[in-house]
Amino acid sequence: MTGAGLPERLVELVTALRGHGVTAGPSETVDAAAVAEVLGLADRERLREGLAAALLRRAGQRPVFDAVFDVCFPLGVGVPEGARERDRDLDDLRAELVAALAAEDAGGLARLAGIAVEAFGRYGSGSGGGFSAYEALEKVRPQTLLVRVLAETGGGRGDFTDRLERDEVRRRIEAFRAAVRTEARRRTAEARGRQRVLEHAVAPSADGVDFLVANREQLAELRRTIHPLSRRLATRLAARRRRANRGHIDIRRTLRRSLSTGGVPLRPAYRRRRPGRPEIVLVCDMSGSVAGFADFTMLLVQALRDQFSRVRVFGFIDTVDEITHLVHTGAADPEGLSARIHAEATLSTWDGHSDYGRAFRHFTERHAEAITAKTSLLILGDGRTNGGDPNLEALRAMVSPARHAHWLNPERRALWAGGDSEADRYAEVVPMHECRNTRQLTTLVGRLLPT
Amino acid sequence: MIGTGYFASVDEVVERLAEQGYLASAPVATTVFLADRLGRPLLVEGPAGVGKTELARAVSAATGSRLVRLQCYEGVDESRALYEWNHAKQLLRITAGRDEGWDRARADIFTEEYLLSRPLLTAISGDEPTVLLVDEVDKADVEIEGLLLEVLGDFQVTVPELGTIVAKRRPFTVLTSNATRDLSDALRRRCLFLHIDFPEPELERRIVRAKVPGVDEALTASVVAVVGALRAMDLRKAPSVAEAVDWARTLLALGADTLDEEVVRASLGVIVKHQDDITRVRDRLRLDEALDGAAS
């Protein structure tokens, strides 16, 4: 890398970060340049840490930054050392990998990742070609090496920690997979241009993952953010309540206090207001398409339950049932929550396609008493009725007694009018908000929840 | 010179902090060096017990500068953080000079003699090298952040009666946060950001051995391995470096030289602090099962 190219690289890095939701302005770019000047380019890992310190504002942005950094400031150019020599034999590679995993040889693992991508990850040819981590990992299948690695390390010490060995090896294998992904991105960036890779091949940070397309690991990752998230929201709500406390003077207490200062009211006493703790009712579409979103929101509200006087949760597909008790006990085992809800509650009588109209009608018939003047009602769903009657009347009947009512829709706003979605018509009855990822959900919950 | 200029290189940071018993990882050392060179405040986030406050202490000891600490809490305000007029002394002064005119008295009572300086003003006004630690800034109310902006952005404090006091020598500033509340972007962008995570096993082994002299290598390795496994377990409160050190100390006191079910079960309370977590850990580490096996 030449010195003259550095500003361009930094700008490219910052632009890519912005594209992935990291807010970094020109002043951050200038900071980054100052960092590069102070640290120099000799040590790549130091440069990485330094740039991260200047550009990032939150811990959750780090994975995105690392991926972008690896593309903009690649470790090397071209085919890695050691992958050049000869045609690689898969069995040899796997054997070497076992040895490296057992010995926890970081350098060796990085080299093997390079070889795996070069030898097994190539697809296409010419300018259309590239390198795929998926292809390479499918061939090498490092996850199947677990037993062999364990045999190699052998639980040798006869110690208590041996029983942790399996988890430890799994972590190392996961690290190897990550190294392969990074390597594939680097090679592809060389073959097809950095810009393309920066736009498409960098996974979004956890709070930017779309609920509707999140895979299993991403959902698990999301669940891990629930606790910190609920804590932050609770602090925010509490702070707002405190602020709302100022203002009204309590005459009686002020006069009593003034006795100690000779009748001059030096320290006014303010009236304490009882914090209003609202009731919350959650009505969730539990059909397959939006289940991940409903899951997450239920757990979040559950974690926030001490902020409310009462939380009730209803699930529906084509009919509605109360699932409060399941959510309540389900917090201990969030992964199995969805399965238990489907097994133990009656949510559907037909074929598992959601029917909003029917579900709303059943709700007004059976659970109308759940919604009172103290209730905040949250409806979660994509509003896709599969062609059924939207039954706006029933929705009006649900919404009208409630103090607040909101609809959270995990679909992009642009799609609301299309297909069998009745979202636009429902939006006339109840304010509807786009809620595609945790970032949006956090802002919404913070804003919507009444004090 | 913009920065504080305590350190000449990243390696020197590592070395001098190590002399104070603080083993810095590469990210920590690099960021401390940058904060020193660029003269920017350092915002440190991370789980409890990874040594955020300790870092400020180590820097102050390594550079031989005084440590000025502002502990934030709910309701901390200007008069606790910045400065306050010494009302009692002012009243005395007015009473003592009974016959003089108001103009003289006013000119006199609003001088530095009657100013009680609180941590932020203290850190800025001194001549000697200073490390300013603003601890747990997330506990303070949002209003305080506005106050910090002037201090951290320009290293100056404005007292309406006296004018603006500009730092003669920039303090090396460390802010710590446990992320219970989101800090405002305005504050964040004035700082260098450092997230201290749980250390790599290798570093943690070194930390434990440095903090608990007398613990042998094999036991340290086991302690770090178990603590690492617990962190991966998704507990309510994951054990931190502080807990690992405590545990090693406990084991040493118990006279254990290897880990087995008995010892782990007896001392689990040192590393895991919630009942749910203890149940889950016993379950996952198969502590009870192993015991049944031994009994039968």
Side-chain angles (χ1 to χ4, degrees):
Chain A
M1 192 182 345
T2 57
L6 185 62
E8 285 76 29
R9 290 245 175 185
L10 285 176
V11 170
E12 195 176 26
L13 178 83
V14 174
T15 316
L17 285 175
R18 270 181 219 143
H20 290 285
V22 177
T23 44
S27 76
E28 271 84 357
T29 320
V30 174
D31 288 347
V35 164
E37 197 193 347
V38 170
L39 288 178
L41 301 174
D43 188 327
R44 183 164 172 270
E45 286 312 306
R46 278 183 190 165
L47 184 65
R48 180 201 294 266
E49 299 301 338
L51 291 180
L55 292 171
L56 298 188
R57 297 285 170 256
R58 279 171 187 77
Q61 299 167 337
R62 191 56 200 257
V64 170
F65 172 82
D66 279 339
V68 171
F69 180 86
D70 280 326
V71 174
C72 285
F73 293 85
L75 191 53
V77 182
V79 186
E81 207 70 38
R84 277 176 213 162
E85 353 167 330
R86 56 202 154 86
D87 271 349
R88 276 290 173 161
D89 184 41
L90 188 57
D91 288 333
D92 280 356
L93 179 68
R94 279 166 63 90
E96 269 185 66
L97 188 54
V98 168
L101 283 170
E104 206 178 351
D105 170 11
L109 287 176
R111 191 175 54 84
L112 289 171
I115 295 171
V117 170
E118 165 69 17
F120 307 111
R122 195 188 285 276
Y123 69 88
S125 59
S127 65
F131 294 85
S132 152
Y134 179 79
E135 292 276 325
L137 289 173
E138 273 301 288
K139 292 252 177 51
V140 180
R141 282 180 298 128
Q143 63 277 21
T144 57
L145 295 176
L146 180 64
V147 179
R148 281 171 65 186
V149 177
L150 279 176
E152 191 100 345
T153 55
R157 277 164 298 178
D159 195 341
F160 178 77
T161 47
D162 284 350
R163 63 184 66 179
L164 305 171
E165 200 69 32
R166 186 174 282 265
D167 290 339
E168 172 61 32
V169 172
R170 251 191 223 121
R171 264 199 292 285
R172 285 182 213 162
I173 291 178
E174 198 39 58
F176 173 73
R177 291 167 67 98
V180 170
R181 275 185 223 117
T182 308
E183 174 70 10
R185 265 201 299 273
R186 179 183 78 79
R187 299 294 305 278
T188 312
E190 258 169 35
R192 311 188 60 179
R194 288 199 294 274
Q195 208 53 47
R196 245 188 104 77
V197 175
L198 286 176
E199 271 169 35
H200 300 293
V202 176
S205 61
D207 64 348
V209 172
D210 210 316
F211 284 125
L212 294 183
V213 297
N215 57 27
R216 262 187 59 146
E217 283 105 70
Q218 282 169 329
L219 283 178
E221 172 76 35
L222 282 179
R223 272 191 228 104
R224 268 196 289 284
T225 64
I226 285 181
H227 264 288
L229 190 64
S230 64
R231 208 183 45 183
R232 271 212 304 279
L233 278 170
T235 338
R236 201 186 294 173
L237 293 177
R240 213 196 285 164
R241 260 180 219 147
R242 245 197 333 273
R243 258 202 298 284
N245 259 347
R246 295 175 196 157
H248 287 272
I249 288 200
D250 186 335
I251 301 284
R252 205 170 60 86
R253 277 176 49 230
T254 306
L255 285 181
R256 155 117 5 135
R257 247 186 219 186
S258 74
L259 291 181
S260 66
T261 47
V264 185
L266 280 184
R267 292 171 301 136
Y270 296 101
R271 189 170 297 160
R272 283 195 209 101
R273 239 189 289 170
R274 298 261 160 272
R277 294 206 304 165
E279 281 181 20
I280 196 157
V281 170
L282 222 55
V283 180
C284 315
D285 183 352
M286 295 299 301
S287 64
S289 57
V290 289
F293 169 60
D295 243 24
F296 182 82
T297 314
M298 281 191 297
L299 288 169
L300 180 65
V301 170
Q302 176 65 17
L304 275 170
R305 69 186 172 281
D306 48 358
Q307 295 294 314
F308 307 106
S309 58
R310 196 164 179 209
V311 176
R312 290 184 75 178
V313 188
F314 297 88
F316 69 89
I317 292 176
D318 62 19
T319 181
V320 70
D321 198 0
E322 174 151 14
I323 51 175
T324 311
H325 55 291
L326 295 173
V327 178
H328 191 75
T329 50
D333 172 30
E335 252 164 274
L337 177 63
S338 188
R340 282 188 54 207
I341 289 174
H342 283 284
E344 294 182 28
T346 323
L347 302 181
S348 103
T349 45
W350 295 95
D351 50 359
H353 287 310
S354 47
D355 181 344
Y356 282 65
R358 189 154 174 269
F360 287 160
R361 196 179 76 233
H362 288 171
F363 188 91
T364 51
E365 284 166 10
R366 296 173 201 165
H367 303 290
E369 91 293 345
I371 299 172
T372 67
K374 280 195 282 179
T375 309
S376 295
L377 173 67
L378 289 182
I379 303 174
L380 316 180
D382 56 4
R384 298 202 171 270
T385 58
N386 292 302
D389 170 25
N391 203 349
L392 294 177
E393 269 322 301
L395 182 63
R396 270 198 203 99
M398 284 165 68
V399 168
S400 63
R403 184 158 159 208
H404 304 271
H406 296 278
W407 186 310
L408 308 185
N409 192 333
E411 270 195 332
R412 255 191 306 146
R413 189 175 283 270
L415 299 176
W416 288 5
D420 58 349
S421 173
E422 297 287 352
D424 276 346
R425 293 175 67 190
Y426 284 133
E428 289 165 15
V429 180
V430 51
M432 189 175 286
H433 310 271
E434 176 189 277
C435 191
R436 288 163 57 204
N437 48 42
T438 24
R439 204 181 303 149
Q440 285 179 332
L441 182 64
T442 318
T443 348
L444 274 173
V445 172
R447 221 177 57 211
L448 298 185
L449 291 183
T451 50
Chain B
M1 171 108 182
I2 303 169
T4 36
Y6 293 138
F7 301 106
S9 70
V10 179
D11 295 317
E12 197 193 325
V13 175
V14 175
E15 210 171 286
R16 281 170 65 186
L17 289 185
E19 281 168 21
Q20 300 303 322
Y22 189 96
L23 301 176
S25 63
V28 172
T30 311
T31 322
V32 166
F33 176 65
L34 284 173
D36 176 45
R37 266 312 161 90
L38 303 176
R40 299 277 294 270
L42 186 59
L43 172 62
V44 188
E45 277 190 357
V50 290
K52 300 189 290 292
T53 308
E54 201 53 42
L55 174 63
R57 254 195 227 116
V59 171
S60 111
T63 56
S65 35
R66 69 178 169 154
L67 179 68
V68 178
R69 175 168 179 169
L70 170 64
Q71 175 71 46
C72 293
Y73 50 90
E74 225 174 76
V76 65
D77 60 1
E78 223 175 359
S79 59
R80 294 278 151 222
L82 209 50
Y83 68 88
E84 196 173 15
W85 287 107
N86 190 341
H87 292 303
K89 201 172 175 188
Q90 283 175 328
L91 277 177
L92 278 175
R93 166 69 184 74
I94 294 170
T95 331
R98 198 170 274 276
D99 301 327
E100 70 185 356
W102 161 243
D103 282 334
R104 259 196 71 195
R106 186 184 57 185
D108 211 33
I109 58 172
F110 288 113
T111 52
E112 284 187 36
E113 196 192 338
Y114 300 92
L115 196 66
L116 293 173
S117 66
R118 301 294 185 205
L120 291 182
L121 185 59
T122 313
I124 279 187
S125 50
D127 263 338
E128 66 262 63
T130 305
V131 172
L132 169 63
L133 166 64
V134 184
D135 214 0
E136 310 202 335
V137 65
D138 53 326
K139 296 262 166 54
D141 302 320
V142 186
E143 291 81 4
I144 284 297
E145 282 185 23
L147 204 70
L148 284 171
L149 293 184
E150 189 190 8
V151 180
L152 301 182
D154 302 325
F155 291 98
Q156 62 179 38
V157 171
T158 306
V159 182
E161 293 86 352
L162 287 181
T164 303
I165 302 170
V166 184
K168 292 178 203 118
R169 185 165 188 162
R170 281 192 178 201
F172 182 96
T173 313
V174 180
L175 293 86
T176 75
S177 155
N178 283 324
T180 48
R181 171 170 75 75
D182 249 348
L183 302 175
S184 70
D185 271 349
L187 180 63
R188 283 173 183 276
R189 73 175 352 136
R190 278 169 179 77
C191 303
L192 289 172
F193 178 74
L194 171 64
H195 181 86
I196 304 189
D197 216 334
F198 298 124
E200 298 285 307
E202 201 270 328
L203 179 62
E204 190 162 19
R205 282 196 288 268
R206 277 172 47 213
I207 295 175
V208 170
R209 298 206 61 196
K211 294 277 172 192
V212 192
V215 64
D216 74 11
E217 207 150 325
L219 183 60
T220 311
S222 311
V223 164
V224 171
V226 173
V227 168
L230 295 189
R231 279 177 200 151
M233 244 181 235
D234 205 10
L235 301 176
R236 273 174 71 185
K237 164 78 182 74
S240 188
V241 185
E243 271 87 27
V245 170
D246 278 352
W247 199 30
R249 223 170 254 149
T250 312
L251 293 174
L252 201 63
L254 288 175
D257 40 14
T258 52
L259 285 183
D260 56 42
E261 283 85 18
E262 199 59 46
V263 173
V264 174
R265 213 151 27 82
S267 56
L268 201 56
V270 179
I271 37 174
V272 186
K273 305 291 170 71
H274 286 285
Q275 188 53 43
D276 318 358
D277 287 353
I278 291 183
T279 324
R280 184 175 290 191
V281 169
R282 286 188 167 189
D283 207 32
R284 288 289 296 275
L285 291 185
R286 303 191 297 274
L287 288 177
D288 296 324
E289 184 188 309
L291 185 76
D292 291 346
S296 63

